[in-house]
Amino acid sequence: MVETPWLVIQCPNCSMCHGSKKKSERCQHCGSAIGENGKVVATATTAQALQIQVALANTPEELRDELRKKLFEKDETAEELDEPSLASLFSACHKIYAVQEFISHEELSRFLELKGSSMLTETFIGHLMSEGLILQRSPTTWQFIE
């Protein structure tokens, strides 16, 4: 059974983001009606990943890299969890594969398996692409952006 991902939804009125399993009727910040006007800016497979995605989405663009760095440091020193956080997966994947010219679907599948993640490879690739960390070079290969 495939679990429905969490959505990070941006309010068209106040531009703040919040997490939900489906498009919300009202903004959790300003109370305005959202309906179908809410923009899905990211998805997450776990509650922990959702918290990170919402925090990053609500952080000004110029401060996001700094916050992402701090979140990665925190995740690296935290006790090991059953399911690794998305931020720790991003960091570990980049450390391992950034020196390669290309990374394949199979390599990413093995990486997720070794890290103990139950996330689908396609979902992880989508997260990497939505965060602007990789570009698709062919149907089965990607390249890290430096």
Side-chain angles (χ1 to χ4, degrees), residues 78-140:
E79 289 182 29
E80 195 170 320
L81 302 171
D82 291 341
E83 180 72 25
S85 72
L86 191 55
S88 67
L89 289 173
F90 283 170
S91 179
C93 186
H94 187 264
K95 284 178 185 174
I96 295 169
Y97 296 108
V99 295
Q100 291 181 208
E101 187 173 354
F102 298 105
I103 185 170
S104 70
H105 187 277
E106 292 79 24
E107 288 174 306
L108 288 170
S109 292
R110 276 193 309 256
F111 167 77
L112 290 172
E113 186 178 320
L114 288 171
K115 291 296 180 183
S117 176
S118 61
M119 187 182 316
L120 296 173
T121 306
E122 292 76 15
T123 302
F124 184 59
I125 290 168
H127 286 305
L128 288 169
M129 290 179 70
S130 71
E131 288 295 319
L133 300 174
I134 61 172
L135 291 173
Q136 189 166 10
R137 303 311 262 168
S138 77
T140 59

Side-chain angles (χ1 to χ4, degrees), residues 7-114:
L7 305 174
V8 178
I9 302 166
Q10 184 177 37
C11 174
N13 296 315
C14 70
S15 297
M16 292 295 290
C17 295
H18 67 274
S20 180
K21 280 282 191 180
K22 60 181 180 161
K23 285 215 174 172
S24 306
E25 294 285 325
R26 298 213 166 269
C27 175
Q28 295 177 3
H29 297 281
C30 70
S32 299
I34 293 179
E36 290 301 313
N37 296 327
K39 180 180 172 187
V40 176
V41 295
T43 60
T45 57
T46 66
Q48 185 178 14
L50 178 67
Q51 287 177 329
I52 291 169
Q53 291 292 347
V54 170
L56 288 171
N58 285 331
T59 300
E61 190 81 36
E62 60 273 10
L63 300 175
R64 284 186 189 154
D65 288 341
E66 184 71 24
L67 176 59
R68 188 176 285 118
K69 204 183 304 181
K70 288 182 187 239
L71 290 170
F72 288 165
E73 290 171 2
K74 180 182 176 192
D75 285 340
E76 289 172 357
T77 60
E79 289 182 29
E80 195 170 320
L81 302 171
D82 291 341
E83 180 72 25
S85 72
L86 191 55
S88 67
L89 289 173
F90 283 170
S91 179
C93 186
H94 187 264
K95 284 178 185 174
I96 295 169
Y97 296 108
V99 295
Q100 291 181 208
E101 187 173 354
F102 298 105
I103 185 170
S104 70
H105 187 277
E106 292 79 24
E107 288 174 306
L108 288 170
S109 292
R110 276 193 309 256
F111 167 77
L112 290 172
E113 186 178 320
L114 288 171

